[in-house]
Amino acid sequence: LSISPGWTTAFFVLGVAAAIAGGWGPAREAAHVEPALALKSGSEVDALKPLAAALWPAYVLLALGAGAALLPPVGDLPIFGYIAIALLLVGAILLQPRLAQVIFVRIGHASRRSRSVPWLGATTRLAQAPSGAAIGLAGIVASFALMVAMATMVTSFRQSRDVWLGQVLPADLYVRAGSRGESMTTAYLSDRDRAMLASAPGVQRAEFSRFARVVLDPKRSPVTLLIRPLDASRPALPMIGRAIDWNAGDPPPAWISQPMSELYGIEAGQRIRIPLAGAEHEFLVIGTWRDYARQSGAIALRDVDYQRITGDSTRTDAALWLAPGVRPNDVIEAVRDKLDVGNQAEFLQPGEIRRLSLDIFDRSFAVTYLLEIAAIVIGLIGIAATFSSQALARTKEFGMLRHLGVTRRQILGQFAIEGLLVTVLGIASGLAVGFAVALVLIHVVNPQSFHWTMELHVPVGLIALLVAA
């Protein structure tokens, strides 16, 4: 655990500033109210009416938020993406007083003939004083929107990564000449190892590849080279975006990863010079592929081109396609002790690789789900504090209702219905704002931070649980 005194102090100051900013409006309103009006019952309702008066600040903030989401990163950081999220949240909160007024007035009109005392009392109260409900709405919308946004972003990333793993792991068995912990192994599969793996009982097809690293820009991290058999017309890669045709007279083809394209500003159709065997060689970029494994960028090359330029025929990895009915464990047992690479060889099945990758992902984002729980607790505390303060301020109102013959159970029912209606409206607003924030996270913040994209996947079950909570 490392605690930074500077940042801790900064957050403390921000918290105090937020508290002062939040209390300044009500304090100013209280200081300017006329004493005679303040002594009048119901004055606290009148004091909240200015909240629903002007809508233009909310519209301006929402428009600025949408515009900020379209701006480029600043120093590879999605500064405007985060600003867009803040503006969307604040703009949506400023809309709640007017939204509450419109919704609850209509509910109040529709409930005039109701014979239920708690329902009639709750809907009439909210219709006559919707601005009071808007205070409770603010906390619900803010906390629930962020819960929905984070849950949607994490689920979208996880599902996109799962689909990507299925695309990059088409074989039935994988062999690496080195341990899983090595990012760039120094062990190799000998010619005899490759021949043995290709001719092992039950193996229908074998494909061998290797990885290397090159420095294209001294100011950036090395780029990974993926050397494997690739068809220029139909590469076995998770391609995205525009691709171009490659002709025999062109420079050797190359496929770049999405982070590579974003970091270096390279697109399909452009040429790239790669240092190989002590000299720079020109390649034609004919497509971009999705890669969640290498954030600093990767380039896929045909093994025949790499071997012709460098003379290097070594390979580090093997992908094996098995005959129907053949079990991977049978192949492993047949070749494990016969390989020249010995006990350095690692055998992995695609299901195991996928499980390991997703387990690492889940552990990495476990804190996100903890924050979801914290957000629920904070939201519930905010709702409880809001309605508790309103209950205290409405003591005279409840006393009058009791004097008119309303029972304690009916007052409790009225207050519960008010809380339910306000919460439902807050959840509906939070869902809309949360999805908007999720789109900013998925399509702006993540691409600008990590230089890769993902598909939108809505976690319906998880959101349903959040709604119930």
Side-chain angles (χ1 to χ4, degrees), residues 164 184 210-214 216 221-228 230 237-239 254-264 266 272 274 285 287-301 450-452:
W164 172 77
M184 201 64 61
R210 67 156 297 167
F211 295 90
R213 283 182 176 173
V214 295
L216 301 183
S221 300
V223 174
T224 300
L225 293 182
L226 170 60
I227 298 99
R228 55 182 290 189
L230 291 170
L237 294 167
M239 304 301 296
W255 297 264
I256 60 173
S257 68
Q258 192 176 30
M260 175 82 189
S261 175
E262 294 289 335
L263 288 170
Y264 291 86
I266 303 173
I272 182 174
I274 302 175
V285 177
T288 304
W289 52 287
R290 178 166 287 159
D291 183 21
Y292 290 133
R294 290 159 284 266
Q295 191 176 337
S296 59
I299 306 173
L301 303 177
F450 306 107
H451 310 291
W452 57 49

Side-chain angles (χ1 to χ4, degrees), residues 124-206:
T124 303
R125 165 72 188 188
L126 291 175
Q128 296 300 318
S131 297
I135 296 177
L137 280 171
I140 300 172
V141 171
S143 60
F144 193 70
L146 290 177
M147 283 190 281
V148 170
M150 289 302 297
T152 303
M153 187 275 290
V154 172
T155 300
S156 298
F157 192 12
R158 193 183 193 280
Q159 293 295 326
S160 298
R161 187 179 181 89
D162 193 16
V163 172
W164 172 77
L165 286 170
Q167 294 173 334
V168 299
L169 299 171
D172 300 306
L173 182 63
Y174 291 87
V175 185
R176 164 163 286 192
S179 66
R180 184 166 50 246
E182 297 179 55
S183 58
M184 201 64 61
T185 180
T186 56
Y188 302 100
L189 296 172
S190 66
D191 293 339
R192 178 177 172 275
D193 289 341
R194 283 183 271 168
M196 183 179 300
L197 290 171
S199 61
V203 175
Q204 283 188 331
R205 173 187 162 201

Side-chain angles (χ1 to χ4, degrees), residues 247-323:
N247 301 309
D250 295 330
W255 297 264
I256 60 173
S257 68
Q258 192 176 30
M260 175 82 189
S261 175
E262 294 289 335
L263 288 170
Y264 291 86
I266 303 173
E267 297 180 354
Q270 296 182 343
R271 303 192 178 194
I272 182 174
R273 301 187 68 84
I274 302 175
L276 296 173
E280 289 192 347
H281 299 267
E282 189 173 70
F283 290 81
L284 176 64
V285 177
I286 64 173
T288 304
W289 52 287
R290 178 166 287 159
D291 183 21
Y292 290 133
R294 290 159 284 266
Q295 191 176 337
S296 59
I299 306 173
L301 303 177
R302 297 191 304 179
D303 55 354
V304 291
D305 297 324
Y306 179 82
Q307 187 168 337
R308 175 177 51 82
I309 294 173
T310 64
D312 183 3
S313 62
T314 58
R315 299 293 181 266
T316 59
D317 295 76
L320 307 179
W321 283 261
L322 308 182

Side-chain angles (χ1 to χ4, degrees), residues 364-387:
S364 300
F365 283 89
V367 66
T368 303
Y369 299 106
L370 180 62
L371 292 176
E372 295 281 327
I373 297 174
I376 292 175
V377 174
I378 293 172
L380 291 175
I381 292 174
I383 297 170
T386 299
F387 281 93

